[in-house]
């Protein structure tokens, strides 16, 4: 999910850069050089995973993966998404240079929320907790991003109200598929390599 | 999906000879200028300058147009939705109210977006991608982030191959993607498997970097010097930006 070049009002994309810059600075402070290669390697996996297509009737959708990034990386997810979006903009012109900050906020803040949602599983013991909270994390990521997308478009002018509404509705099937898929991924990771889902062990710092 | 943005980094043109630091800063300034523009005649002038820069850069036409596809797909619904939903001066034909002012807004947005994307192709497509990243570091982008770009860029290619291999393995087991829960579950496991492999790889990468003396810093060569023509080109573009902003 991204907003393309030329759409956002100046105040909106500048504001996006300010928010994204502040969040990034706060997160970088907490990381050390040991985390860098790890976050980067995982960022490239997400980059590649966002190219996966799932058929939907006659068309197909591609994964957004921001809920999944939040679930796996925790706070560093914002940085990972920022870097991933920049590379998408520079390497194949998805999104763009001026809306980059706004796009990072639109995808990154929901990823942080998804992380919070996924962590609830420790407080609420359920059967199949990984699947349930993973699916909720995936939903949180995509639904909030959709809301951000619509809000940013609407903030850019009255003319975009209709587009904002259409964009939100168009994302509903993606939200459902992405939620389920994230749940399955969480369940798989819990079975195969549970330490990936335990953040405390990875970032001792 | 085309990852070969620097495929034509080694041809010769005045843009290719431009120092990457000054090139990125000047074209970045121009992109920001276009983002602010709002009047159609000015947008048309900016579009012409951007097209001229594409021609001067000698990047092949098909290479550029292929990269204008994503923005075109994203923005084409605007031409229908905005005129149909924008309030104000509407003309009603066959019971459908259509706002021609909305068509103008969509056209302005699309023309601006095309110009900006063309400029970003010229900005990044005329030097090896790694050199562009190093130039960004020299321009003040934090080293931590530039290093993340470098690593991520490197490993994207490795995981693309990994994904291709896993795809082939699934195909050989007769897996066909459909719109059903089985497909979603299988793809969920697929992503999980990619992650498991990447975590194992990440640890090995870090250990091998440590053994080669990695201390958190970036040590690379950057063989560019700024000469007088670099400044001339930057000055010409800055004058264009200021002129567009004044009018």
């Amino acid at each position: 999910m991204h907003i393309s070049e030329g759409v956002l009002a100046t105040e909106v994309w500048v504001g996006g850069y300010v928010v994204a810059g502040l969040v990034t600075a706060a997160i970088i402070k907490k990381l050390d050089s040991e985390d860098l290669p790890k976050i980067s390697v995982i960022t490239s996996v997400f980059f590649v995973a966002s190219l996966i297509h799932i058929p939907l009737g006659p068309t197909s959708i591609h994964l957004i993966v921001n809920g999944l990034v939040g679930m796996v990386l925790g706070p560093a997810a914002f940085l990972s998404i920022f870097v991933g979006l920049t590379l998408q903009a520079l390497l194949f012109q998805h999104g763009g240079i001026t809306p980059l900050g706004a796009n990072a906020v639109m995808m990154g803040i929901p990823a942080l929320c998804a992380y919070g949602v996924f962590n609830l599983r420790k407080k609420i013991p359920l059967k199949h907790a990984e699947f349930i909270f993973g699916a909720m994390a995936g939903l949180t990521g995509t639904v909030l991003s959709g809301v951000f997308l619509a809000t940013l478009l609407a903030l850019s002018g009255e003319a975009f109200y209709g587009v904002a509404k259409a964009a939100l509705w168009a994302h509903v099937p993606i939200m459902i598929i992405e939620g389920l898929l994230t749940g399955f991924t969480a369940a798989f990771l819990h079975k195969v390599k549970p330490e990936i889902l335990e953040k405390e062990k990875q970032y001792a710092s | 999906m085309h990852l070969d943005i620097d495929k034509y980094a080694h041809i010769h043109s005045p843009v290719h000879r431009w120092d990457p630091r000054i090139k990125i800063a000047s074209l970045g300034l121009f992109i920001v200028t276009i983002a602010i523009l709002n009047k159609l005649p000015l947008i048309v002038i900016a579009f012409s300058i951007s097209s001229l820069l594409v021609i001067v850069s000698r990047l092949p036409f098909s290479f550029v147009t292929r990269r204008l596809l994503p923005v075109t797909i994203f923005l084409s619904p605007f031409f229908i939705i905005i005129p149909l939903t924008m309030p104000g001066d509407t003309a009603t034909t066959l019971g459908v109210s259509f706002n021609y002012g909305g068509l103008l807004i969509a056209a302005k947005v699309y023309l601006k977006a095309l110009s900006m994307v063309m400029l970003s192709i010229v900005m990044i497509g005329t030097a090896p991608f790694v050199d562009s990243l190093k130039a960004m570091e020299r321009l003040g982008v934090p080293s931590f982030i530039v290093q993340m770009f470098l690593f991520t860029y490197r490993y994207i290619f490795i995981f693309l191959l990994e994904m291709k291999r896993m795809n082939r393995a699934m195909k050989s087991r007769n897996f066909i993607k459909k719109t059903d829960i089985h497909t979603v579950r299988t793809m969920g496991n697929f992503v999980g498997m990619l992650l498991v492999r990447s975590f194992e790889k990440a640890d090995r990468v870090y250990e091998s970097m440590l053994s080669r003396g990695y201390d958190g810093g970036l040590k690379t060569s950057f063989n560019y010097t700024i000469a007088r023509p670099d400044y001339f080109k930057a000055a010409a573009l800055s004058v264009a930006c200021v002129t567009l902003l004044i009018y």
Side-chain angles (χ1 to χ4, degrees), chain B residues 6-28:
Chain B
D6 55 2
K7 188 177 175 186
Y8 297 103
H10 297 287
I11 58 176
H12 294 283
S13 85
V15 183
H16 286 77
R17 279 192 292 275
W18 206 353
D19 180 274
R21 285 161 289 185
I22 301 201
K23 177 179 70 192
I24 290 174
S26 313
L27 292 176

Side-chain angles (χ1 to χ4, degrees), chain A:
Chain A
M1 210 188 289
H2 60 260
I3 297 173
S4 109
E5 204 84 84
V7 179
L8 294 178
T10 310
E11 307 83 46
V12 178
W13 65 257
V14 171
Y17 265 111
V18 172
V19 176
L22 289 175
V23 178
T24 306
I27 289 166
I28 288 186
K29 239 184 233 165
K30 285 194 194 146
L31 302 173
D32 61 27
S33 59
E34 190 183 336
D35 300 324
L36 197 146
K38 287 182 191 167
I39 300 173
S40 310
V41 170
I42 295 158
T43 301
S44 36
V45 173
F46 288 126
F47 188 98
V48 170
S50 72
L51 304 170
I52 295 176
H53 280 78
I54 308 272
L56 181 70
T59 64
S60 75
I61 58 148
H62 73 90
L63 298 180
I64 297 175
V65 302
N66 64 337
L68 192 66
V69 184
M71 187 174 91
V72 174
L73 283 180
F78 191 88
L79 198 59
S80 169
I81 286 173
F82 200 176
V83 167
L85 287 171
T86 312
L87 287 176
Q88 283 185 339
L90 297 181
L91 295 174
F92 43 80
Q93 289 71 48
H94 282 223
I97 292 172
T98 58
L100 192 56
N103 280 335
V105 170
M106 174 176 99
M107 300 281 282
I109 303 282
L112 300 180
C113 298
Y115 171 61
V117 168
F118 190 62
N119 270 350
L120 288 178
R121 77 189 190 286
K122 290 173 190 158
K123 297 206 181 92
I124 311 166
L126 284 175
K127 226 179 160 188
H128 306 297
E130 273 67 30
F131 176 80
I132 293 167
F133 287 98
M136 275 163 60
L139 261 181
T140 307
T142 40
V143 171
L144 283 183
S145 289
V147 173
F148 267 107
L149 171 70
T151 313
L152 290 170
L153 285 173
L155 279 176
S156 293
E158 212 182 21
F160 298 128
Y161 286 0
V163 177
K165 222 183 273 174
L168 197 54
W169 283 114
H171 279 98
V172 169
I174 303 176
M175 291 166 186
I176 296 167
I177 291 178
E178 179 101 9
L180 284 172
L181 187 133
T182 311
F184 285 126
T185 305
F188 177 87
L189 289 175
H190 179 65
K191 251 186 295 180
V192 177
K193 207 171 163 75
E195 61 265 34
I196 292 182
L197 300 174
E198 303 299 328
K199 223 76 57 220
E200 292 76 23
K201 284 180 203 156
Q202 287 165 45
Y203 303 114
S205 46

Side-chain angles (χ1 to χ4, degrees), chain B residues 9 30 33 46 54 60 80 89 100 106-107 112 115 149 157 169 181 193-194 199 221 229 236:
Chain B
F30 198 32
T33 305
V54 169
I80 301 161
D89 197 13
Y100 287 95
K112 270 167 76 166
S115 320
F149 284 145
F157 295 94
I181 198 78
M193 199 60 223
L194 264 178
F199 264 72
S221 57

Side-chain angles (χ1 to χ4, degrees), chain B residues 101-112:
Chain B
L103 217 50
L104 178 69
I105 292 181
K108 285 204 284 197
V109 166
Y110 184 52
L111 216 51
K112 270 167 76 166

Side-chain angles (χ1 to χ4, degrees), chain B residues 76-96:
Chain B
S76 46
F78 280 45
F79 283 92
I80 301 161
I81 299 175
I82 294 181
L84 285 180
T85 58
M86 200 168 96
D89 197 13
T90 54
T92 307
T93 338
L94 301 170
V96 180

